[in-house]
């Protein structure tokens, strides 16, 4: 009730949560929805009293009814008493399991700690209980998983370990903070189904925090929409999805690329907040872009194979992971090829093999009539000026010690573009403007930007060499739906303005639907389906493609 949370940084005070109130009934799921910075995670951390040293609950009440029926005020409760509630009566699944799990401790031990601490079990009892929990969360080979380290598990498997840890003591409330954000749609679907079944089994209440209204539609009974630290709308999920009242809620619903049609432009939040377009204008923008059907082929890949050797016993024949296994496709100039599949399907390896950032084992790559596999390293380096890549995580692909202006200018210097530094600097200013950034951003560093802004910097850097082909590797998967819409609109505009050709790698079919002309579906390194986007979405031939489409969360 009336929760206010402030963060201090020296003399600066930032109010992250401003007077929010909500209730959670027994057995109910409340979805808290909003963009990054809206205050969702701060709210959940406040309930658990896990705020950093700079965070302060200034006022407000957090009342919780314990198993015994006693109503306890969590705000101001001594730490010792709070430890009996945390993990025991209120469990939490964090957004990024890799940073939440201890990399030097085995997964089984990390879950067992909770049982030993709260349920007073012996190590042997706890191990048996963890094995049963691992079975409940449907981890493959649960006995092996007990003794595995986090780095040996996939993203979906690590998230299941976190779920097992959160439900180990059968909590009354489970707080799930963006637990499916970085997961494939198929893994996301299984995690959502798992949470729903566990909730029914244990009679838990759940607070599910996300920026994706499609995910909330699958799970929540009620929804609270947060914007700039305030709850701007809350009510039954069905009411909010059928008749959203606040412009921000309407904006969030419209920003998500529809799977049923291809839009020319995605609405963004500012369209609704500023009333720049009418709230129902999403349907009015739905004219599809004309396909470039008679353009020449820019890139052709024939029977490409990229194998990684596995270490075997001494003198034993080598075994291989066939990451890319006999893949062929072509991309016409000006078109966008979408490469889609689950994690481990070979999407990223294929993209990097095309640029020879990973050397292919066999096959041929022909770019503008030249065979790239025949080029020397020096010749290939020159050729890469025409072929650029934008990586998934812009923060790790930008040098944190280099200003973003210098990061964009550097490729031009390496390739000897323009006559001098002054001309290159002018070009950087032009590129910043092109991707929607400002000239004064030149001297700022990557940590001073949001995720969406950093991705714009990475796009500007790729454009610096005036390439014909850009490979975009999951370049919007970690962004909020509203920021994602802005970046997708930017990519679409740049394609038309600069006559670019894209290979767009993603596990998100709604994003692929918006941007791509043709689709290549990969599974275990092999092509499952390769046709025009319209054909794939209207009548998918492969059962695997149908399963990917079925896994996309839908509103209503």
């Amino acid at each position: 009730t009336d929760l206010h949370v402030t963060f201090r940084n020296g003399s600066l005070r930032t109010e992250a949560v401003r007077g929010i109130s909500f209730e959670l009934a027994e057995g109910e799921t409340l979805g808290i929805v909003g963009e990054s910075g809206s205050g969702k995670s701060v709210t959940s951390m406040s309930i658990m009293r896990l705020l950093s040293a700079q965070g302060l609950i200034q006022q407000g009440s957090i009342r919780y009814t314990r198993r015994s029926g006693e109503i306890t005020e969590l705000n101001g409760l001594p730490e010792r008493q709070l430890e009996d509630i945390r993990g025991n009566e209120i469990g939490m699944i964090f957004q990024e399991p890799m940073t939440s799990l201890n990399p030097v401790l085995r997964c089984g031990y990390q879950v067992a700690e909770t049982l030993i601490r709260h349920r007073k079990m012996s190590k042997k009892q706890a191990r048996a209980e963890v094995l049963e929990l691992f079975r409940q969360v449907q981890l493959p080979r649960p006995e092996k998983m007990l003794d595995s380290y986090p780095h040996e598990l996939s993203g979906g498997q690590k998230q299941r370990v976190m779920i097992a840890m959160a439900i180990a003591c059968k909590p009354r409330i489970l707080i799930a903070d963006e637990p499916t954000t970085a997961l494939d749609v198929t893994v996301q679907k299984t995690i959502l189904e798992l949470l729903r079944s566990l909730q029914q089994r244990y009679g838990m209440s759940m607070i599910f925090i996300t920026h994706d209204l499609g995910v909330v539609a699958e799970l929540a009974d009620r929804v609270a929409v947060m914007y700039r630290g305030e709850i701007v709308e809350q009510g039954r999920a069905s009411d909010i999805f059928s008749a959203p009242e606040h412009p921000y809620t309407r904006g969030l619903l419209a920003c998500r690329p529809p799977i049923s049609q291809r839009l020319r432009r995605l609405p963004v939040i500012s369209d609704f907040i500023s009333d720049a377009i009418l709230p129902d204008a999403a349907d009015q923008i739905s004219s599809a872009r004309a396909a470039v059907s008679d353009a020449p082929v820019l890139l052709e890949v024939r029977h490409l194979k990229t194998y990684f050797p596995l270490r075997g016993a001494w003198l034993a024949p080598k075994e291989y992971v066939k990451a890319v296994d006999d893949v062929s496709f072509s991309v016409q100039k000006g078109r966008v090829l979408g490469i889609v599949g689950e994690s481990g399907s070979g999407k990223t390896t294929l993209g990097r093999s095309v640029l020879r950032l990973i050397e292919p084992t066999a096959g041929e790559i022909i770019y503008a009539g030249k065979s790239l596999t025949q080029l020397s390293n020096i010749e290939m380096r020159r050729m890469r000026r025409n072929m650029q890549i934008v990586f998934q995580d812009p923060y790790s692909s930008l040098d944190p010690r280099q200003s973003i202006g210098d990061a964009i200018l550097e490729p031009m210097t390496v390739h000897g573009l323009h006559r001098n530094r002054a001309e290159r600097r002018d070009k950087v200013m032009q590129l910043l403007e092109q991707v929607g950034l400002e000239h004064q951003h030149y001297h700022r560093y990557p940590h001073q930007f949001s995720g969406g802004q950093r991705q714009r910097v990475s796009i500007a850097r790729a454009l610096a060499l005036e390439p014909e082909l850009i490979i975009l590797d999951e370049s919007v998967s970690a962004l909020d739906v509203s920021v994602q819409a802005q970046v997708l609109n930017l990519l679409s505009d740049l394609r038309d303005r600069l006559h670019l050709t894209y290979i767009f790698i993603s596990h998100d079919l709604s994003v692929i639907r918006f941007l791509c002309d043709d689709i290549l579906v990969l599974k275990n390194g092999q092509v499952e389906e390769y046709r025009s986007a319209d054909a794939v979405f209207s009548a998918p031939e492969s059962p695997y493609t149908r399963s990917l489409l079925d896994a996309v969360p839908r509103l209503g």
Side-chain angles (χ1 to χ4, degrees):
T1 306
D2 195 30
L3 183 68
H4 291 255
V5 181
T6 300
F7 283 84
R8 299 162 295 184
N9 185 2
S11 60
L12 187 68
R13 297 283 187 277
T14 304
E15 196 170 16
V17 173
R18 299 184 287 178
I20 68 165
S21 301
F22 63 83
E23 291 180 349
L24 179 69
E26 197 162 351
E28 180 185 48
T29 298
L30 172 70
I32 300 182
V33 186
E35 299 170 278
S36 293
S38 61
K40 311 185 302 293
S41 293
V42 172
T43 301
S44 68
M45 293 292 192
S46 301
I47 294 169
M48 297 284 278
R49 294 261 305 279
L50 292 172
L51 293 170
S52 64
Q54 288 77 32
L56 176 69
I57 298 175
Q58 284 208 305
Q59 70 180 69
S61 172
I62 306 167
R63 290 188 299 277
Y64 162 63
T65 306
R66 302 191 66 169
R67 283 195 180 107
S68 60
E70 175 195 350
I71 297 174
T72 301
E73 174 59 63
L74 299 183
N75 186 14
L77 192 70
E79 188 68 22
R80 178 68 63 84
Q81 292 178 44
L82 200 60
E83 283 176 3
D84 291 334
I85 294 174
R86 263 195 221 126
N88 183 24
E89 296 201 36
I90 304 178
M92 188 160 185
I93 306 164
F94 296 96
Q95 180 170 357
E96 179 42 71
M98 194 62 212
T99 56
S100 308
L101 293 170
N102 190 325
V104 299
L105 295 177
R106 298 178 194 275
C107 293
Y109 176 76
Q110 295 189 56
V111 181
E113 273 186 315
T114 309
L115 295 164
I116 293 165
R117 162 73 176 81
H118 291 295
R119 303 267 293 275
K120 312 300 180 193
M121 288 186 177
S122 67
K123 286 183 180 179
K124 188 176 180 182
Q125 288 172 321
R127 185 177 171 87
E129 182 69 15
V130 172
L131 182 60
E132 179 54 32
L133 282 166
F134 279 9
R135 289 193 183 110
Q136 283 179 25
V137 299
Q138 297 161 28
L139 272 166
R141 305 180 307 283
E143 294 86 356
K144 186 176 185 296
M145 292 293 175
L146 283 174
D147 297 314
S148 297
Y149 291 96
H151 73 271
E152 297 177 294
L153 277 60
S154 70
Q157 288 169 346
K158 284 195 281 275
Q159 199 60 284
R160 287 167 192 268
V161 172
M162 283 297 301
I163 293 169
M165 192 184 296
I167 65 163
C169 294
K170 300 179 177 59
R172 300 199 74 208
I173 299 174
L174 179 65
I175 301 173
D177 186 5
E178 299 269 17
T180 61
T181 296
L183 302 178
D184 295 338
V185 283
T186 46
V187 180
Q188 175 178 270
K189 186 179 182 182
T190 57
I191 293 291
L192 293 177
E193 287 171 353
L194 172 64
L195 287 172
R196 196 184 291 115
S197 67
L198 290 170
Q199 181 184 24
Q200 289 168 355
R201 179 181 296 182
Y202 295 123
M204 292 185 298
S205 302
M206 184 155 60
I207 296 174
F208 194 94
I209 295 166
T210 183
H211 64 257
D212 190 339
L213 278 163
V215 170
V216 165
E218 303 250 320
L219 207 63
D221 302 304
R222 286 189 309 112
V223 176
V225 181
M226 289 194 73
Y227 178 59
R228 293 185 177 175
E230 297 178 354
I231 291 177
V232 294
E233 186 168 1
Q234 64 175 312
R236 283 170 45 203
S238 55
D239 294 340
I240 282 182
F241 293 128
S242 60
E245 292 179 359
H246 197 275
Y248 179 70
T249 312
R250 294 201 291 272
L252 277 182
L253 285 162
C255 284
R256 186 181 170 80
I259 202 88
S260 57
Q261 60 180 344
R262 183 175 181 182
L263 303 186
R264 187 182 52 187
R265 176 190 173 274
L266 290 172
V268 295
I269 294 292
S270 59
D271 294 333
F272 293 83
I273 298 297
S274 65
D275 291 327
I277 64 171
L278 294 171
D280 61 350
D283 292 335
Q284 298 169 14
I285 315 172
S286 59
S287 62
R289 185 190 292 108
V292 187
S293 56
D294 56 349
V297 170
L298 181 65
L299 176 76
E300 187 175 2
V301 172
R302 298 174 184 164
H303 306 292
L304 193 69
K305 298 179 181 180
T306 305
Y307 295 173
F308 297 109
L310 287 171
R311 283 185 189 166
W314 187 58
L315 291 180
K318 281 186 177 176
E319 292 182 55
Y320 292 90
V321 173
K322 296 180 179 181
V324 177
D325 193 12
D326 197 19
V327 171
S328 300
F329 63 87
S330 62
V331 188
Q332 286 174 281
K333 191 171 173 59
R335 283 177 81 84
V336 181
L337 173 69
I339 299 179
V340 69
E342 297 169 286
S343 292
S345 62
K347 305 186 303 290
T348 295
T349 303
L350 177 57
R352 295 185 184 197
S353 298
V354 166
L355 295 181
R356 281 186 52 196
L357 297 174
I358 297 172
E359 286 295 341
T361 308
E364 201 171 3
I365 305 159
I366 299 163
Y367 177 81
K370 287 186 180 176
S371 176
L372 300 189
T373 44
Q374 305 299 318
L375 298 182
S376 67
N377 288 340
I378 293 170
E379 290 170 324
M380 188 63 213
R381 200 171 295 129
R382 286 197 208 104
M383 182 61 78
R384 283 204 193 103
R385 180 191 157 179
N386 302 315
M387 311 164 71
Q388 289 292 297
I389 187 165
V390 178
F391 295 100
Q392 180 171 0
D393 181 6
Y395 196 70
S396 61
S397 58
L398 293 168
D399 186 338
R401 300 162 299 177
Q402 190 177 40
S403 74
I404 63 113
D406 287 342
I408 297 167
L409 185 141
E410 185 181 41
M412 293 187 267
T413 307
V414 169
H415 285 269
L417 266 66
H418 311 294
R419 287 180 297 183
N420 52 44
R421 185 176 174 86
E423 281 194 10
R424 290 176 195 131
R425 191 184 162 92
D426 288 343
K427 179 66 177 175
V428 172
M429 295 302 185
Q430 187 186 327
L431 286 165
L432 287 173
E433 207 171 287
Q434 252 180 359
V435 299
L437 296 172
E438 296 173 14
H439 289 184
Q440 61 262 36
H441 290 148
Y442 186 106
H443 297 290
R444 293 189 190 171
Y445 291 86
H447 73 272
Q448 295 175 289
F449 293 91
S450 68
Q453 287 173 320
R454 281 197 290 266
Q455 201 57 283
R456 288 170 187 265
V457 172
S458 296
I459 293 166
R461 194 170 197 256
L463 291 172
L465 297 177
E466 299 170 2
E468 292 178 294
L469 173 72
I470 298 180
I471 296 176
L472 299 133
D473 186 5
E474 296 276 16
S475 53
V476 297
S477 62
L479 303 178
D480 289 342
V481 282
S482 57
V483 180
Q484 183 184 86
Q486 292 169 24
V487 173
L488 288 171
N489 285 337
L490 170 65
L491 290 170
S492 182
D493 292 343
L494 290 170
R495 171 205 178 180
D496 295 339
R497 204 183 319 150
L498 304 176
H499 310 294
L500 295 168
T501 305
Y502 294 145
I503 293 177
F504 193 87
I505 297 169
S506 180
H507 64 259
D508 189 338
L509 279 158
S510 58
V511 169
I512 290 278
R513 178 66 165 141
F514 170 71
L515 202 63
C516 300
D517 302 303
D518 305 294
I519 296 177
L520 180 86
V521 182
L522 273 186
K523 181 185 180 186
N524 299 329
Q526 295 184 323
V527 177
E528 279 283 314
E529 193 159 347
Y530 172 42
R531 294 189 296 151
S532 73
D534 289 339
V536 169
F537 282 98
S538 61
E541 291 178 347
S542 162
Y544 178 68
T545 309
R546 287 197 290 274
S547 72
L548 289 177
L549 284 165
D550 291 343
V552 176
R554 285 168 171 79
L555 296 170

